Amino acid sequence: MSDLLLLGAGGHGRVIAETALATGRFNRISFLDDRCCGPGQLPDQLGCPVIGPLSAALDPHIRQQFSAAIVAIGNAALRVQWLPSLATAGYEVPALVHPTACVSPSAQLGVGSVVFAQACIQAQAIIGSGAILNTSCSLDHDAQLGNGVHVCPGAHLAGEVQVGNRSWIGIGA
């Protein structure tokens, strides 16, 4: 088990935190968020502390405390932008899969991607880095998702579909 640093303490970050806890892989989770400094600091999220702004992820003292980090920000451009910085800093940048999700053993998940509860990813699907496969969505065989794609809750994509970088597939699509 290791410690996980989440960049972003909003709603998406809280869902990622609960997914990470459900995997049983992490002892401790902490958040970074640019809203944490100054007046109106952010309180703990789900019992996990908000310990500094996003830039603190690159601070060697913070880096020594956390073996893994993931970008928990809904904005696709920011997710994709932060991933290489985290890897270069030496963090493991895992793909997280909720235990109730179904992911084919032949599917490929890019670093920093998340697969939420009840999602289904079928045979030989390829998911880029920083993708969000949200609650109860499905991605059928041989589909290809670019980096930073967000497939919203309840959206269903057929086999061999190709989705470009930073695309957003809406709820129930």
Side-chain angles (χ1 to χ4, degrees):
M1 299 210 347
S2 61
D3 295 333
L4 178 65
L5 184 63
L6 295 180
L7 278 67
H12 181 57
R14 291 189 301 272
V15 177
I16 288 180
E18 287 187 340
T19 297
L21 290 169
T23 69
R25 288 182 53 196
F26 303 98
N27 290 321
R28 175 176 63 124
I29 295 174
S30 295
F31 291 94
L32 297 176
D33 196 292
D34 286 343
R35 299 171 295 163
C36 79
C37 300
Q41 292 184 354
L42 288 177
D44 287 0
Q45 302 292 309
L46 304 172
C48 302
V50 182
I51 60 173
L54 298 177
S55 61
L58 303 179
D59 180 316
H61 177 71
I62 296 293
R63 170 59 194 98
Q64 290 175 359
Q65 296 178 50
F66 297 91
S67 58
I70 195 163
V71 185
I73 298 170
N75 180 292
L78 286 176
R79 274 197 320 279
V80 171
Q81 175 186 341
W82 267 102
L83 288 172
S85 298
L86 294 175
T88 298
Y91 292 100
E92 172 197 0
V93 184
L96 294 179
V97 178
H98 193 277
T100 65
C102 177
V103 178
S104 166
S106 64
Q108 298 174 33
L109 297 177
V111 297
S113 291
V114 292
V115 181
F116 291 138
Q118 300 296 314
C120 185
I121 313 305
Q122 294 292 4
Q124 295 188 313
I126 299 172
I127 290 87
S129 62
I132 301 168
L133 299 167
N134 221 314
T135 309
S136 297
C137 76
S138 66
L139 182 62
D140 221 312
H141 66 87
D142 301 297
Q144 296 180 20
L145 272 58
N147 298 327
V149 170
H150 183 173
V151 180
C152 289
H156 302 288
L157 301 178
E160 299 185 13
V161 167
Q162 295 182 9
V163 179
N165 292 338
R166 299 187 333 225
S167 294
W168 186 337
I169 309 298
I171 292 174

